[in-house]
Amino acid sequence: MSIQTLVGQTTIDPQLGFTSSSAFDTDRFDQAVMTTYGRFAIALEKGEGCRVWDTQGREYLDFVAGIATCTLGHAHPAMVETVTNQIKKLHHVSNFYYIPEQGELANWIVQHSCADRVFFCNSGAEANEGAIKLARKYAHTVLEIEKPIILTAHASFHGRTLATITATGQPKYQKNFDPLMPGFHYVPYNDIGAVEAAISELDEGDYRVAAIMLEPLQGEGGVRPGDISYFQQLRQICNETGILLIFDEVQVGVGRSGNLWGYEHLGVEPDVFTSAKGLGGGIPIGAMMCKSFCDVLKPGDHASTFGGNPFACAVALTVCQTLERDNILQNVQARGEQLRAGLNALAVKYPQHIADVRGWGLINGMELQADSPLNAVDVVKAAIDEGLLIAPAGPKVLRFVPPLIVSEAEVNTALQIVDKLIATTAT
C-alpha cells in the first residue's frame, strides 16, 4: 500500500471545518522531516469521536488514540470549547507568575489522588526526568546517599531522553547512545526476590538503592500488568528502608486502567508518580506528583518553560472534569471487559496463533504465539487495510488502546475485524 502522490489543492470544507487536500506527497514530507519514525502508509487529517479520516477521505476506527493519549477521542465538544475559549484569553505566560489554571489542575489532581504536590511539564519523559531528579536530591539530602541507585525493570519504558532511556530496561532503545547515565540497575518485573537481592548487593560503600521506579502495567514491554502481591511487598520494603517508590503512570494513568490511577489496581500508594499522555487528551502536558515528605525540590532546582501554561492546564482540567462528570470510568471498565472477553474468545478460536490476552480497562494486549507466522507489524498493516488502527507493543504483541469513550458497537466492530485478520492473514 502506498500514499505517495502529488500534493493537491488544499481547501477548507465549511461543513466539516477542517483543511482537506486531494493528495499527499510522502516524498516531500520525508525530504523535510527526520526519519525517526517508521510510519505506516496513511496520512490522517480529521477525527471525530473514535473515528479518523485520511487525506483520501477513508475512515478508520481508532484503537490507537495517539498511543493511549486521546482520552476523550477526537474533537470532543468539551475540549473544543475549552481550547477555543482559552486561546482567546491567554495561552502562555512564564512560571515567574502565578497561573490560575495551573493551580486549579494541581488541586484537582491532589484531591483525586494520593499526591500532595504537582510539578507540570510537557511530556512523560520530562515527568520521569523530574521524578529521577527528585529521587536523587532526596537521596543526597535526606537519605545521605553519596551515590544513589534507582532500580527499574527489564522490558520497561520510561522515555527517550538520555536519563529515561537509561532507566528503560530495553537495550534496543539504548543502542548507540552510550555512554548512558550512571545510577540505574535493572531487575526482572514482578520478581520480588530479584529486588531484595539487588538492594542487598548494591548496598556497598557509597552506593545504595534510593528509589524503585516501575510501571504499574508495562505498556511498551508487552502490556504486562503488575502482580498485586509483588507491589504490596515492594511497598513494605520501601517503608522499612526509606527507599522511594516511584510509579510511571504515563500510559495507564487518568482513567486508562479503569481506575483514575493505575496504583489503585495494586492496593498501594506510591511516593512519587508521573502522568502525561491521557492527562491532556492529546494536548501536550506532563506531571510529576509526590507526597509532601519527599517534596525536596526548591526554586532553581527544576523548571520547564512551557510546563503548566494556561492553555495546556485548562484543557487537562477539562479532560479530568469530563471523566468525572460523565462517569467515563464506568465505560472504561465495561468496554474493557467486553474487549478482553472478545479477544479471549479469539484466543480459544485460534490457539495456534494467540498465546495470551491481558490488560486493565482499555489498555489491552493480545500476544501472538512465538511459532505463529503472524507478527504484530504485519497484523497492524492488515488492520489498516480493513479500516482499524491498532498498535504493536513488541514483535508479537498487539495493543488495543481506544479512546475511553469507545462504544459497545465500536468494540464489536474492532473484534470482528481482528477475527477476520487472524483468519486470513495467517493463510
Side-chain angles (χ1 to χ4, degrees), residues 105 109 118-124 126-128 250 273-276 279 285-289:
L105 177 59
I109 292 172
V118 186
F119 171 84
F120 291 109
C121 51
N122 310 290
S123 67
E126 289 181 64
N128 287 334
V250 169
F273 64 104
T274 59
S275 180
L279 180 59
I285 188 171
M288 184 264 290
M289 286 73 68

Side-chain angles (χ1 to χ4, degrees), residues 32-46:
V33 180
M34 285 188 176
T35 55
T36 56
Y37 300 96
R39 292 181 169 87
F40 295 104
I42 57 173
L44 302 175
E45 68 173 356
K46 176 185 181 289

Side-chain angles (χ1 to χ4, degrees), residues 68-73 254 256 277-282 319 323 328 403-405:
T69 297
C70 298
T71 304
L72 303 180
V254 196
R256 173 64 54 183
K277 286 189 179 289
L279 180 59
V319 170
L323 282 177
I328 290 175
L404 305 191
I405 60 169

Side-chain angles (χ1 to χ4, degrees), residues 15 215 222 330 364 416:
Q15 291 183 319
E215 299 158 273
Q330 293 181 7
N364 293 281
Q416 291 165 7

Side-chain angles (χ1 to χ4, degrees), residues 46-52 62 65-66 70 72-77 80 403 405:
K46 176 185 181 289
E48 183 176 350
C50 296
R51 307 275 173 167
V52 291
D62 185 6
C70 298
L72 303 180
H74 304 278
H76 190 282
V80 171
I405 60 169

